[in-house]
Amino acid sequence: GAGVSQSPRYKVAKRGQDVALRCDPISGHVSLFWYQQALGQGPEFLTYFQNEAQLDKSGLPSDRFFAERPEGSVSTLKIQRTQQEDSAVYLCASSPRSASGSTDTQYFGPGTRLTVL
Amino acid sequence: AQSVTQPDIHITVSEGASLELRCNYSYGATPYLFWYVQSPGQGLQLLLKYFSGDTLVQGIKGFEAEFKRSQSSFNLRKPSVHWSDAAEYFCARFQEYGNKLVFGAGTILRVKS
C-alpha cells in the first residue's frame, strides 16, 4: 500500500516568509509525528497527534511553529516568519495505533527539505 | 535525560567486509531500541527493533543487532557489506513508552570497492 507522503519535497523561503508543509499519513493510522532533522544531526521530535488531537507539542522550538490535523488524517506543519535556523528536513511519521501504551513502528515519509535564505 | 549515542560519525568498509555500527543508550530499565537507515533524499526505513526477549534480533537486508544491557549497547552488524548499503544509519529509542523517538546523531557508512 501507499506509504507516508510529504509535500513539497523541497521548499526555499526568504527569511520572514510563512511556509506550510503537508503530510499524508498511511490511511487509517491513528498516530502522527513530526520531526526536524538539521544538517548532520539525527531527527528531533517536534509534535505528536492522536487522531485530530495534538497531545504533545513539547518539541516545537518556538511559537512560530504550529501544527494541525483537523480531520485526523492529513497534517500541516506551519512555520511563520521563517528564520535561517529553521532550515532543516522536516520528517513526518505515522503509526497504526495510539502511541500511549503502544510499541508500534513509526513509518516515515521522505521529508521536506526547507531552506531559508 | 534519556539519550542515544553513536560514537562514529563516518565509517568506511570494503565491499564484502563485515560491519559493526555502535550505539549506546542511557537510562531506562528496558529500552525499546531501533535501527533506521536513510539513503540520500529518502525517508527513514526501519531495519530492526528490540523490545524484549532474545537479545539478538534479525532485521531486513541481512542486518542484525545485539542488545547488551551490561554495556548499554545495541550494535548493528552485517557479515558482508554490499555497495548498496552505503547510507546513513540511525539508532533510536522510545523516550517514553510508545511515544516519541529519540535518535542518535547517525553514522555515515561508505563502502569502497
Side-chain angles (χ1 to χ4, degrees):
Chain A
V4 178
S5 61
Q6 294 185 245
S7 60
R9 293 292 309 278
Y10 302 91
K11 177 69 178 178
V12 178
K14 293 182 179 178
R15 190 174 56 182
Q17 284 185 332
D18 298 348
V19 298
L21 312 180
R22 176 186 170 105
C23 172
D24 284 83
I26 294 172
S27 178
H29 276 198
V30 169
S31 295
L32 186 145
F33 303 81
W34 283 98
Y35 293 85
Q36 180 191 57
Q37 185 177 16
L39 187 64
Q41 301 295 319
E44 292 189 355
F45 171 81
L46 292 177
T47 188
Y48 159 65
F49 288 86
Q50 178 182 307
N51 295 310
E52 69 279 3
Q54 188 175 19
L55 298 187
D56 187 342
K57 53 182 180 180
S58 61
L60 295 177
S62 78
D63 59 6
R64 295 185 295 104
F65 287 70
F66 172 76
E68 60 183 5
R69 193 186 185 198
E71 298 179 356
S73 56
V74 171
S75 177
T76 303
L77 176 67
K78 298 179 179 178
I79 309 174
Q80 298 176 327
R81 304 181 304 281
T82 52
Q83 303 296 313
Q84 285 188 324
E85 60 263 29
D86 300 334
S87 295
V89 174
Y90 291 85
L91 295 166
C92 176
S94 70
S95 61
R97 297 175 293 175
S98 164
S100 178
S102 160
T103 54
D104 286 348
T105 296
Q106 293 183 22
Y107 297 89
F108 283 81
T112 294
R113 181 176 297 276
L114 172 65
T115 303
V116 181
L117 303 177
Chain B
Q2 297 173 347
S3 66
V4 175
T5 302
Q6 295 180 247
D8 304 305
I9 299 174
H10 297 98
I11 282 186
T12 301
V13 299
S14 298
E15 191 169 16
S18 63
L19 169 71
E20 183 170 33
L21 302 182
R22 296 185 290 164
C23 173
N24 294 95
Y25 65 90
S26 67
Y27 303 108
T30 303
Y32 298 91
L33 297 164
F34 305 80
W35 275 99
Y36 282 87
V37 61
Q38 186 177 40
S39 299
Q42 303 296 313
L44 295 164
Q45 181 182 23
L46 180 69
L47 289 175
L48 46 78
K49 60 186 178 184
Y50 172 77
F51 290 163
S52 64
D54 193 348
T55 56
L56 183 64
V57 294
Q58 303 296 321
I60 62 171
K61 304 185 179 185
F63 286 92
E64 66 178 26
E66 186 171 13
F67 171 67
K68 293 185 177 180
R69 184 185 302 278
S70 61
Q71 298 177 18
S72 299
S73 69
F74 187 57
N75 294 349
L76 182 71
R77 302 195 294 246
K78 186 170 185 177
S80 178
V81 169
H82 187 262
W83 65 266
S84 61
D85 293 324
E88 189 162 16
Y89 292 79
F90 292 94
C91 182
R93 66 176 296 173
F94 278 141
Q95 181 169 351
E96 298 167 18
Y97 182 64
N99 202 332
K100 64 195 80 167
L101 284 168
V102 175
F103 287 85
T107 298
I108 297 172
L109 172 65
R110 298 189 178 112
V111 180
K112 60 181 181 180
S113 56

